[in-house]
Amino acid sequence: MKIIEGSMSLLGHERIAIICSRFNSMITDRLIEGAKDCYVRHGGDIQKLTLIKVPGAFEIPFTLEKVLSSGDYDGVCVLGAIIRGGTPHFDYVAAESTKGVANVTLKYGGAVSFGILTTDSIEQALDRAGIKVGNKGFESMSSLIELINIYRQLD
């Protein structure tokens, strides 16, 4: 049986973009730091990393489409934090940003990792941004690195 599995190392020449929402920056800034840390720890050249900040999570899919259609990147890590409030706004933004990222990823077939937090409270979001439960930005970049290596083997 042939097994295809991604490794956790970069060659150093990969061009990776992080698309992150500025909304809830107290959370998203920590996610960005985690993603950058993971990228560098696994052999990435920080000069080849591009950070694209968008207003909110709803704008991520539109930006992802521009990035993937350019063909300039080997992978994209999307990050954000959508925190439930007292209105249905959370449900709309969470659903549409998730569907949007999935649809654009399927359309272009690019290596994309999904690190948009959807939490019930600020405390949960902080925990997932590195306070208690690890940093989901780090984990999302880790998934992207593995996915890039899997795609290399499939090409």
Side-chain angles (χ1 to χ4, degrees), residues 130-151:
I131 299 295
K132 284 187 183 174
V133 203
N135 185 303
K136 297 300 179 185
F138 189 101
E139 291 176 20
S140 187
M141 182 61 75
S142 177
S143 294
L144 180 62
I145 292 168
E146 187 172 353
L147 190 58
I148 288 169
N149 284 307
I150 288 170
Y151 280 23

Side-chain angles (χ1 to χ4, degrees), residues 40-52:
V40 171
R41 283 183 191 229
H42 290 94
D45 176 357
I46 198 72
Q47 299 304 315
K48 300 206 183 301
L49 185 63
T50 301
L51 173 61
I52 303 166

Side-chain angles (χ1 to χ4, degrees), residues 4 7 15-16 53 55 63 76 85 99 116-117 123 145 154:
I4 298 174
S7 67
R15 295 157 303 152
I16 292 180
K53 289 188 173 185
T63 308
V76 183
K99 281 191 287 187
I116 299 176
L117 303 179
E123 292 77 20
I145 292 168
L154 293 173

Side-chain angles (χ1 to χ4, degrees), residues 3-152:
I3 298 174
I4 298 174
E5 193 171 33
S7 67
M8 288 308 303
S9 62
L10 292 166
L11 302 174
H13 59 72
E14 294 86 355
R15 295 157 303 152
I16 292 180
I18 297 171
I19 300 173
C20 187
S21 64
R22 284 194 319 266
F23 201 78
N24 292 316
S25 63
M26 170 174 59
I27 312 297
T28 59
D29 288 348
R30 291 172 180 263
L31 297 175
I32 292 167
E33 288 309 311
K36 285 174 27 183
D37 180 36
C38 180
Y39 177 76
V40 171
R41 283 183 191 229
H42 290 94
D45 176 357
I46 198 72
Q47 299 304 315
K48 300 206 183 301
L49 185 63
T50 301
L51 173 61
I52 303 166
K53 289 188 173 185
V54 298
F58 189 78
E59 291 77 23
I60 290 173
F62 310 114
T63 308
L64 177 62
E65 181 152 18
K66 291 278 190 193
V67 169
L68 290 179
S69 69
S70 76
D72 292 339
Y73 295 92
D74 298 300
V76 183
C77 177
V78 299
L79 303 172
I82 307 168
I83 301 169
R84 187 177 300 279
T87 68
H89 186 256
F90 168 90
D91 299 308
Y92 301 131
V93 174
E96 295 308 316
S97 62
T98 301
K99 281 191 287 187
V101 168
N103 288 337
V104 171
T105 301
L106 288 170
K107 178 179 178 181
Y108 290 97
V112 176
S113 65
F114 187 82
I116 299 176
L117 303 179
T118 53
T119 63
D120 288 325
S121 67
I122 291 173
E123 292 77 20
Q124 285 178 346
L126 284 168
D127 287 349
R128 287 162 179 76
I131 299 295
K132 284 187 183 174
V133 203
N135 185 303
K136 297 300 179 185
F138 189 101
E139 291 176 20
S140 187
M141 182 61 75
S142 177
S143 294
L144 180 62
I145 292 168
E146 187 172 353
L147 190 58
I148 288 169
N149 284 307
I150 288 170
Y151 280 23
R152 277 191 188 122

